[in-house]
Amino acid sequence: MAQKRGLLLVMTGASGVGKGTIRQELEKIEDYHYSISWTTRESRPGEEHGVHYFFKTRDEFESEIHSGLGFLEHAEFVGNYYGTPRAAVEEQLQMGRNVLLEIEVQGAMQVKQAMPEAILIFIMPPSLTELKNRLVGRATESLEKIEKRLAKARSEILMAHEFKYCVLNDDVSRAVEDIRAIIRAERLSALRLTEEELEVIVQQ
Amino acid sequence: MAQKRGLLLVMTGASGVGKGTIRQELEKIEDYHYSISWTTRESRPGEEHGVHYFFKTRDEFESEIHSGLGFLEHAEFVGNYYGTPRAAVEEQLQMGRNVLLEIEVQGAMQVKQAMPEAILIFIMPPSLTELKNRLVGRATESLEKIEKRLAKARSEILMAHEFKYCVLNDDVSRAVEDIRAIIRAERLSALRLTEEELEVIVQQ
């Protein structure tokens, strides 16, 4: 029987909502391929090629946009490209492996367009105040920039119906268990049954 | 905030596939309202009104069809009515309680028509041979009747894509855990988020 296609999980949500922490906990207990983005920006101290990003030239990136399988999502920020190349994701899915993307909301919407099978999971903060506290706690950005992020988070929260699932991150381990339940349930989706599998059951 | 509506779970599948056993295990660990069917047939020894069925007169049943909230599904077999009255189910859902129906495939399809929010879970036997063994093991029916059931089961399995989820019952406790994951994931469906809930998050 052909290998059953993996699930494409897209975890998204505001900056500071805890996507990274959830992913780190999840990867201790669930087997999936984590898709690493391409970027044309310079690597920062401590960042490794193939771990944090694949660092590419503009030529390489643009050639993938136009001639390769393209990107599931990509965008240009401040003169640099960022994106999720389609080929690697497709290869893993075809091998039957689940793939997880951890990306911004705009990118998640692009993935949904490119691959309607994608399972969009929106990570929700308990409140905007709590999100603000987390961003301020990180102390990596100016208050002005944080306020901009919060305004963006607000509008994203109000469009939560666009996603398939919504997981509240008020407790990381509960959020991780929620995502595991989503993965288990999605594997049971009747849409994933192949004619071949049904035939095997009725022939035996 | 208004009480969040419960989930309407419809467990269906062939006779002998183990729906009843799964339900009994499930109700030890999950809280839900089990909807008891109405019937106009005579009660059999050991059957209790309000436990196995609500035993009704034809007049009562027909009056509910035509004047009450009606039935989510009903059918007539050998001169007797069987059905799931809508009012009790609706009341529990509005109270925020999950409701479980355990019904035949045809009835499940009627429920899907009547209430598109219904979550149809098809219980799949490991194989038709295994299903036959279970039915023969029960020793309650003639071989001829069993063969008819198997032919029906075969056609139902081949329409498995009509359901939302498909749970293989080769191991009862795994099947129960599968259904628990479905319930957990369905609670996280973004479609269930109310505008009110989103407002609370962005206002705080």
Side-chain angles (χ1 to χ4, degrees), chain A residues 48-101:
Chain A
E48 277 178 68
H49 181 78
V51 176
H52 299 89
Y53 282 102
F54 286 111
F55 295 98
K56 302 280 181 177
T57 64
R58 280 190 82 83
D59 271 0
E60 286 169 326
F61 204 105
E62 286 176 354
S63 138
E64 187 66 23
I65 295 176
H66 302 298
S67 58
L69 266 180
F71 287 83
L72 284 180
E73 53 88 29
H74 74 281
E76 203 170 350
F77 292 114
V78 215
N80 292 307
Y81 282 123
Y82 296 80
T84 305
R86 187 168 188 137
V89 169
E90 189 56 48
E91 187 190 26
Q92 295 288 328
L93 293 175
Q94 280 184 19
M95 284 164 53
R97 193 130 186 255
N98 296 342
V99 175
L100 181 78
L101 310 184

Side-chain angles (χ1 to χ4, degrees), chain B:
Chain B
M1 200 182 297
Q3 178 64 56
K4 188 120 184 155
R5 194 169 167 83
L7 300 170
L8 176 56
L9 303 155
V10 181
M11 187 160 67
T12 188
S15 188
V17 79
K19 298 188 292 295
T21 312
I22 290 172
R23 178 170 63 78
Q24 280 161 29
E25 291 304 309
L26 195 61
E27 73 189 7
K28 291 179 190 164
I29 37 184
E30 284 277 342
D31 176 55
Y32 59 79
H33 171 77
Y34 174 61
S35 165
I36 296 157
S37 299
W38 283 19
T39 183
T40 59
R41 77 155 164 76
E42 301 265 313
S43 65
R44 293 174 189 152
E47 281 184 345
E48 278 178 66
H49 181 79
V51 176
H52 299 89
Y53 283 102
F54 287 110
F55 296 98
K56 300 282 180 175
T57 64
R58 280 190 82 83
D59 272 0
E60 287 170 323
F61 204 104
E62 286 174 354
S63 139
E64 187 65 22
I65 293 176
H66 301 298
S67 57
L69 265 181
F71 287 84
L72 284 181
E73 54 87 29
H74 74 282
E76 203 171 352
F77 293 114
V78 216
N80 291 308
Y81 283 123
Y82 296 81
T84 305
R86 186 168 188 137
V89 169
E90 188 56 47
E91 188 190 23
Q92 295 288 330
L93 292 175
Q94 280 183 20
M95 283 164 54
R97 194 133 184 253
N98 295 342
V99 174
L100 181 78
L101 310 184
E102 179 200 324
I103 54 180
E104 293 214 37
V105 170
Q106 275 179 312
M109 289 299 162
Q110 281 184 47
V111 176
K112 191 181 166 185
Q113 284 291 318
M115 279 177 118
E117 74 186 79
I119 300 155
L120 271 60
I121 304 172
F122 184 72
I123 309 296
M124 182 80 89
S127 68
L128 278 185
T129 308
E130 173 64 24
L131 185 62
K132 183 175 179 175
N133 292 342
R134 292 184 197 173
L135 289 171
V136 171
R138 281 185 179 182
T140 53
E141 290 179 324
S142 65
L143 258 181
E144 190 194 9
K145 205 160 177 187
I146 288 174
E147 289 299 340
K148 271 191 193 155
R149 284 204 191 276
L150 289 172
K152 193 171 159 222
R154 184 178 190 285
S155 68
E156 287 168 356
I157 289 168
L158 292 175
M159 60 185 268
H161 293 115
E162 298 288 322
F163 307 98
K164 183 157 187 187
Y165 296 102
C166 212
V167 169
L168 184 72
N169 187 21
D170 54 353
D171 174 330
V172 173
S173 49
R174 208 183 41 74
V176 167
E177 287 308 311
D178 280 348
I179 294 173
R180 295 186 77 195
I182 290 169
I183 295 170
R184 185 164 185 161
E186 285 286 342
R187 282 204 191 103
L188 301 168
S189 165
L191 293 173
R192 284 173 51 78
L193 281 169
T194 62
E195 297 295 334
E196 236 177 339
E197 287 173 299
L198 296 178
E199 279 299 330
V200 167
I201 288 167
V202 298
Q203 295 303 334
Q204 282 178 345

